[in-house]
Amino acid sequence: EIQVGVVSVTGDLEVAGDVLFKGDMNLGDGVLDKINPLGRFTNNLIPLTNNLNSLGTNGNRWSELFIASDADIDGNIDIAGNASIGATVTAADINVTNDASVTGTFTLGGVANLNGGANIGNAAGDLVSVNGRFITGLSPLLADTNDLGSSTQTWKDLYLGGNVSAGGSVTA
């Protein structure tokens, strides 16, 4: 065992075998210093203080992130490119507790269950395209409150295979 106060090495230092450093450690003394860990981490990387440090910066980002298990994120997720999930996803797999916003096209392959209320569009100029077929009936929440079309925005043809019941007058 060798005990010294400060060891200063000019040039390269190579140590064979295990090295144990006790106490605080600085790797580099400036932002241009390079740290090159060629080995693999055998333990967790845990920050000293919660919510204080970042992994990368806005100007120096990591290229890719590979995660084999859960990702618990307590802040925003900003995705500037494409995002895809390459596995079967159930409601228990993705939980959004606040609002989620998508700018651009959102494509969902499979069944979308929209539990609770659902709004489609937020202005009269929004276009809604239904290319599939309805497998349920369409019923208004309250009777005699909503219209299908208007006096200026009329439907072209109506094809029915059953009876027609009208609670008011019928104009043909």
Side-chain angles (χ1 to χ4, degrees), residues 40 50 58 66 72 82 97 106 118 134 147 154 172:
R40 302 205 177 199
N50 190 35
N58 194 31
F66 298 92
D72 296 322
N82 295 326
T97 55
F106 179 72
F134 288 96
D147 297 322
T154 61

Side-chain angles (χ1 to χ4, degrees), residues 5 11 39 43 54 62 80 82 102 105 113 117-118 125-126 131-132 140 151 156 167 172:
N43 210 330
S54 299
W62 292 100
N82 295 326
V102 175
T105 301
N113 294 316
D126 292 344
N131 293 317
S151 62
K156 181 180 175 200

Side-chain angles (χ1 to χ4, degrees), residues 11-49:
D12 295 338
L13 173 65
E14 184 175 317
V15 178
D18 294 337
V19 177
L20 173 64
F21 294 100
K22 293 183 179 181
D24 295 339
M25 179 190 318
N26 293 320
L27 299 175
D29 63 355
V31 296
L32 297 179
D33 291 343
K34 298 173 192 158
I35 300 169
N36 188 9
L38 296 176
R40 302 205 177 199
F41 290 96
T42 59
N43 210 330
N44 298 324
L45 295 175
I46 301 172
L48 178 64
T49 305

